[in-house]
mmCIF file of all heavy atoms in Angstrom:
data_model
loop_
_atom_site.group_PDB
_atom_site.id
_atom_site.type_symbol
_atom_site.label_atom_id
_atom_site.label_comp_id
_atom_site.label_asym_id
_atom_site.label_seq_id
_atom_site.Cartn_x
_atom_site.Cartn_y
_atom_site.Cartn_z
ATOM 1 N N GLY A 7 -0.577 -7.235 14.328
ATOM 2 C CA GLY A 7 -1.956 -7.060 14.765
ATOM 3 C C GLY A 7 -2.426 -5.666 14.409
ATOM 4 O O GLY A 7 -1.690 -4.694 14.568
ATOM 5 N N ILE A 8 -3.640 -5.578 13.904
ATOM 6 C CA ILE A 8 -4.227 -4.279 13.555
ATOM 7 C C ILE A 8 -5.511 -4.122 14.349
ATOM 8 O O ILE A 8 -6.421 -4.942 14.230
ATOM 9 C CB ILE A 8 -4.526 -4.184 12.044
ATOM 10 C CG1 ILE A 8 -3.255 -4.383 11.228
ATOM 11 C CG2 ILE A 8 -5.182 -2.835 11.723
ATOM 12 C CD1 ILE A 8 -3.499 -4.443 9.724
ATOM 13 N N ILE A 25 -4.842 1.022 14.181
ATOM 14 C CA ILE A 25 -5.713 1.460 13.085
ATOM 15 C C ILE A 25 -7.140 1.053 13.430
ATOM 16 O O ILE A 25 -7.400 -0.100 13.754
ATOM 17 C CB ILE A 25 -5.298 0.824 11.738
ATOM 18 C CG1 ILE A 25 -3.874 1.228 11.360
ATOM 19 C CG2 ILE A 25 -6.287 1.203 10.632
ATOM 20 C CD1 ILE A 25 -3.336 0.544 10.110
ATOM 21 N N ASP A 26 -8.059 2.000 13.339
ATOM 22 C CA ASP A 26 -9.478 1.718 13.547
ATOM 23 C C ASP A 26 -10.045 1.255 12.213
ATOM 24 O O ASP A 26 -10.212 2.047 11.283
ATOM 25 C CB ASP A 26 -10.199 2.976 14.044
ATOM 26 C CG ASP A 26 -11.664 2.733 14.364
ATOM 27 O OD1 ASP A 26 -12.232 1.685 13.942
ATOM 28 O OD2 ASP A 26 -12.266 3.599 15.027
ATOM 29 N N GLU A 34 -7.456 2.414 3.388
ATOM 30 C CA GLU A 34 -6.519 1.962 2.350
ATOM 31 C C GLU A 34 -5.195 2.712 2.427
ATOM 32 O O GLU A 34 -4.129 2.105 2.302
ATOM 33 C CB GLU A 34 -7.142 2.086 0.960
ATOM 34 C CG GLU A 34 -8.234 1.069 0.734
ATOM 35 C CD GLU A 34 -8.871 1.196 -0.632
ATOM 36 O OE1 GLU A 34 -9.240 2.328 -1.012
ATOM 37 O OE2 GLU A 34 -8.984 0.167 -1.300
ATOM 38 N N ILE A 37 -3.217 1.399 5.475
ATOM 39 C CA ILE A 37 -2.681 0.062 5.221
ATOM 40 C C ILE A 37 -1.437 0.160 4.350
ATOM 41 O O ILE A 37 -0.399 -0.430 4.651
ATOM 42 C CB ILE A 37 -3.742 -0.848 4.565
ATOM 43 C CG1 ILE A 37 -4.848 -1.187 5.566
ATOM 44 C CG2 ILE A 37 -3.099 -2.131 4.019
ATOM 45 C CD1 ILE A 37 -6.056 -1.841 4.943
ATOM 46 N N LEU A 41 1.529 -0.771 6.668
ATOM 47 C CA LEU A 41 1.706 -2.213 6.577
ATOM 48 C C LEU A 41 2.637 -2.618 5.435
ATOM 49 O O LEU A 41 3.505 -3.472 5.612
ATOM 50 C CB LEU A 41 0.341 -2.886 6.412
ATOM 51 C CG LEU A 41 0.250 -4.388 6.589
ATOM 52 C CD1 LEU A 41 0.789 -4.823 7.939
ATOM 53 C CD2 LEU A 41 -1.196 -4.848 6.434
ATOM 54 N N LEU A 45 6.797 -5.315 4.593
ATOM 55 C CA LEU A 45 7.081 -6.431 3.698
ATOM 56 C C LEU A 45 7.919 -6.025 2.494
ATOM 57 O O LEU A 45 8.273 -6.875 1.679
ATOM 58 C CB LEU A 45 5.765 -7.052 3.223
ATOM 59 C CG LEU A 45 4.980 -7.745 4.333
ATOM 60 C CD1 LEU A 45 3.561 -8.024 3.888
ATOM 61 C CD2 LEU A 45 5.667 -9.026 4.750
ATOM 62 N N ALA A 48 11.077 -8.009 1.402
ATOM 63 C CA ALA A 48 11.175 -9.268 2.149
ATOM 64 C C ALA A 48 10.837 -10.445 1.241
ATOM 65 O O ALA A 48 9.954 -10.357 0.403
ATOM 66 C CB ALA A 48 10.222 -9.252 3.340
ATOM 67 N N ARG A 49 11.579 -11.524 1.418
ATOM 68 C CA ARG A 49 11.243 -12.771 0.723
ATOM 69 C C ARG A 49 10.257 -13.504 1.609
ATOM 70 O O ARG A 49 10.580 -13.859 2.737
ATOM 71 C CB ARG A 49 12.494 -13.596 0.465
ATOM 72 C CG ARG A 49 13.392 -12.962 -0.583
ATOM 73 C CD ARG A 49 14.640 -13.779 -0.821
ATOM 74 N NE ARG A 49 14.408 -15.217 -0.746
ATOM 75 C CZ ARG A 49 14.452 -16.050 -1.787
ATOM 76 N NH1 ARG A 49 14.735 -15.585 -2.973
ATOM 77 N NH2 ARG A 49 14.232 -17.346 -1.631
ATOM 78 N N LEU A 64 -25.208 -5.236 15.598
ATOM 79 C CA LEU A 64 -26.571 -5.073 15.111
ATOM 80 C C LEU A 64 -27.463 -6.258 15.427
ATOM 81 O O LEU A 64 -28.590 -6.319 14.950
ATOM 82 C CB LEU A 64 -26.559 -4.852 13.589
ATOM 83 C CG LEU A 64 -25.880 -3.570 13.136
ATOM 84 C CD1 LEU A 64 -25.897 -3.476 11.630
ATOM 85 C CD2 LEU A 64 -26.541 -2.350 13.740
ATOM 86 N N THR A 67 -33.519 -7.012 16.947
ATOM 87 C CA THR A 67 -34.672 -6.883 16.048
ATOM 88 C C THR A 67 -34.498 -5.697 15.113
ATOM 89 O O THR A 67 -33.903 -4.679 15.475
ATOM 90 C CB THR A 67 -35.965 -6.727 16.866
ATOM 91 O OG1 THR A 67 -35.833 -5.572 17.691
ATOM 92 C CG2 THR A 67 -36.212 -7.959 17.744
ATOM 93 N N ARG A 70 -35.306 -1.936 15.892
ATOM 94 C CA ARG A 70 -34.419 -1.199 16.793
ATOM 95 C C ARG A 70 -33.061 -0.902 16.159
ATOM 96 O O ARG A 70 -32.144 -0.465 16.841
ATOM 97 C CB ARG A 70 -34.220 -1.986 18.080
ATOM 98 C CG ARG A 70 -35.512 -2.209 18.830
ATOM 99 C CD ARG A 70 -35.241 -2.659 20.243
ATOM 100 N NE ARG A 70 -36.428 -3.108 20.918
ATOM 101 C CZ ARG A 70 -37.371 -2.326 21.405
ATOM 102 N NH1 ARG A 70 -37.280 -1.038 21.291
ATOM 103 N NH2 ARG A 70 -38.417 -2.831 22.011
ATOM 104 N N VAL A 79 -20.901 -0.899 11.546
ATOM 105 C CA VAL A 79 -20.755 -2.355 11.595
ATOM 106 C C VAL A 79 -20.463 -2.900 10.201
ATOM 107 O O VAL A 79 -19.620 -3.777 10.032
ATOM 108 C CB VAL A 79 -22.008 -3.014 12.210
ATOM 109 C CG1 VAL A 79 -22.003 -4.526 12.019
ATOM 110 C CG2 VAL A 79 -22.101 -2.673 13.695
ATOM 111 N N VAL A 85 -16.400 -3.989 4.638
ATOM 112 C CA VAL A 85 -15.494 -3.118 3.893
ATOM 113 C C VAL A 85 -14.038 -3.327 4.314
ATOM 114 O O VAL A 85 -13.159 -3.484 3.460
ATOM 115 C CB VAL A 85 -15.908 -1.634 4.030
ATOM 116 C CG1 VAL A 85 -14.933 -0.732 3.299
ATOM 117 C CG2 VAL A 85 -17.328 -1.441 3.503
ATOM 118 N N ALA A 88 -12.551 -6.579 3.005
ATOM 119 C CA ALA A 88 -12.352 -6.473 1.559
ATOM 120 C C ALA A 88 -11.117 -5.635 1.238
ATOM 121 O O ALA A 88 -10.327 -5.981 0.348
ATOM 122 C CB ALA A 88 -13.593 -5.881 0.895
ATOM 123 N N LEU A 90 -8.452 -5.227 3.177
ATOM 124 C CA LEU A 90 -7.272 -6.006 3.559
ATOM 125 C C LEU A 90 -6.992 -7.123 2.555
ATOM 126 O O LEU A 90 -5.839 -7.373 2.198
ATOM 127 C CB LEU A 90 -7.444 -6.566 4.969
ATOM 128 C CG LEU A 90 -7.354 -5.527 6.082
ATOM 129 C CD1 LEU A 90 -7.898 -6.089 7.391
ATOM 130 C CD2 LEU A 90 -5.932 -5.025 6.251
ATOM 131 N N MET A 91 -8.046 -7.783 2.064
ATOM 132 C CA MET A 91 -7.846 -8.825 1.051
ATOM 133 C C MET A 91 -7.329 -8.221 -0.250
ATOM 134 O O MET A 91 -6.450 -8.792 -0.903
ATOM 135 C CB MET A 91 -9.143 -9.609 0.826
ATOM 136 C CG MET A 91 -9.492 -10.515 1.987
ATOM 137 S SD MET A 91 -10.951 -11.553 1.705
ATOM 138 C CE MET A 91 -12.275 -10.340 1.743
ATOM 139 N N ARG A 96 -2.833 -7.211 -4.089
ATOM 140 C CA ARG A 96 -1.945 -6.233 -4.738
ATOM 141 C C ARG A 96 -0.495 -6.439 -4.335
ATOM 142 O O ARG A 96 0.415 -6.248 -5.133
ATOM 143 C CB ARG A 96 -2.364 -4.799 -4.389
ATOM 144 C CG ARG A 96 -3.610 -4.323 -5.082
ATOM 145 C CD ARG A 96 -3.848 -2.834 -4.864
ATOM 146 N NE ARG A 96 -3.827 -2.397 -3.483
ATOM 147 C CZ ARG A 96 -4.857 -2.460 -2.644
ATOM 148 N NH1 ARG A 96 -6.001 -2.991 -3.037
ATOM 149 N NH2 ARG A 96 -4.746 -1.991 -1.418
ATOM 150 N N LEU A 97 -0.286 -6.833 -3.089
ATOM 151 C CA LEU A 97 1.069 -7.078 -2.599
ATOM 152 C C LEU A 97 1.757 -8.144 -3.435
ATOM 153 O O LEU A 97 2.910 -8.011 -3.801
ATOM 154 C CB LEU A 97 1.021 -7.503 -1.126
ATOM 155 C CG LEU A 97 2.345 -7.829 -0.471
ATOM 156 C CD1 LEU A 97 3.173 -6.561 -0.320
ATOM 157 C CD2 LEU A 97 2.110 -8.486 0.880
ATOM 158 N N ASP A 98 1.049 -9.211 -3.740
ATOM 159 C CA ASP A 98 1.477 -10.281 -4.626
ATOM 160 C C ASP A 98 2.922 -10.716 -4.420
ATOM 161 O O ASP A 98 3.747 -10.606 -5.325
ATOM 162 C CB ASP A 98 1.251 -9.868 -6.082
ATOM 163 C CG ASP A 98 1.391 -11.053 -7.028
ATOM 164 O OD1 ASP A 98 1.145 -12.194 -6.606
ATOM 165 O OD2 ASP A 98 1.766 -10.828 -8.186
ATOM 166 N N PRO A 99 3.263 -11.208 -3.220
ATOM 167 C CA PRO A 99 4.629 -11.701 -3.027
ATOM 168 C C PRO A 99 4.870 -12.906 -3.931
ATOM 169 O O PRO A 99 4.153 -13.893 -3.867
ATOM 170 C CB PRO A 99 4.678 -12.080 -1.546
ATOM 171 C CG PRO A 99 3.256 -12.200 -1.116
ATOM 172 C CD PRO A 99 2.424 -11.403 -2.061
ATOM 173 N N VAL A 106 -6.295 -16.750 3.533
ATOM 174 C CA VAL A 106 -7.196 -15.752 4.105
ATOM 175 C C VAL A 106 -8.262 -16.471 4.922
ATOM 176 O O VAL A 106 -8.889 -17.406 4.431
ATOM 177 C CB VAL A 106 -7.867 -14.895 3.007
ATOM 178 C CG1 VAL A 106 -8.881 -13.940 3.630
ATOM 179 C CG2 VAL A 106 -6.831 -14.146 2.195
ATOM 180 N N ASN A 108 -11.552 -15.325 7.260
ATOM 181 C CA ASN A 108 -12.444 -14.279 7.770
ATOM 182 C C ASN A 108 -13.372 -14.910 8.788
ATOM 183 O O ASN A 108 -14.066 -15.881 8.483
ATOM 184 C CB ASN A 108 -13.245 -13.628 6.642
ATOM 185 C CG ASN A 108 -12.386 -12.755 5.770
ATOM 186 O OD1 ASN A 108 -11.609 -11.943 6.267
ATOM 187 N ND2 ASN A 108 -12.476 -12.927 4.469
ATOM 188 N N SER A 110 -16.521 -14.377 11.524
ATOM 189 C CA SER A 110 -17.653 -13.508 11.791
ATOM 190 C C SER A 110 -18.182 -13.767 13.195
ATOM 191 O O SER A 110 -18.020 -14.855 13.747
ATOM 192 C CB SER A 110 -18.750 -13.791 10.763
ATOM 193 O OG SER A 110 -19.854 -12.946 10.997
ATOM 194 N N ARG A 113 -24.402 -14.620 17.751
ATOM 195 C CA ARG A 113 -24.814 -15.202 19.035
ATOM 196 C C ARG A 113 -25.554 -16.466 18.782
ATOM 197 O O ARG A 113 -26.196 -16.684 17.843
ATOM 198 C CB ARG A 113 -25.740 -14.241 19.772
ATOM 199 C CG ARG A 113 -25.034 -13.053 20.304
ATOM 200 C CD ARG A 113 -25.965 -12.311 21.199
ATOM 201 N NE ARG A 113 -25.857 -10.896 20.889
ATOM 202 C CZ ARG A 113 -26.435 -9.957 21.568
ATOM 203 N NH1 ARG A 113 -27.200 -10.254 22.561
ATOM 204 N NH2 ARG A 113 -26.288 -8.704 21.266
#
Side-chain angles (χ1 to χ4, degrees):
I8 301 174
I25 299 175
D26 184 345
E34 289 179 311
I37 290 169
L41 193 56
L45 293 166
R49 290 179 36 110
L64 295 179
T67 59
R70 299 195 190 284
V79 169
V85 178
L90 288 165
M91 288 184 290
R96 286 189 308 276
L97 179 69
D98 193 28
V106 176
N108 288 313
S110 181
R113 288 190 225 187

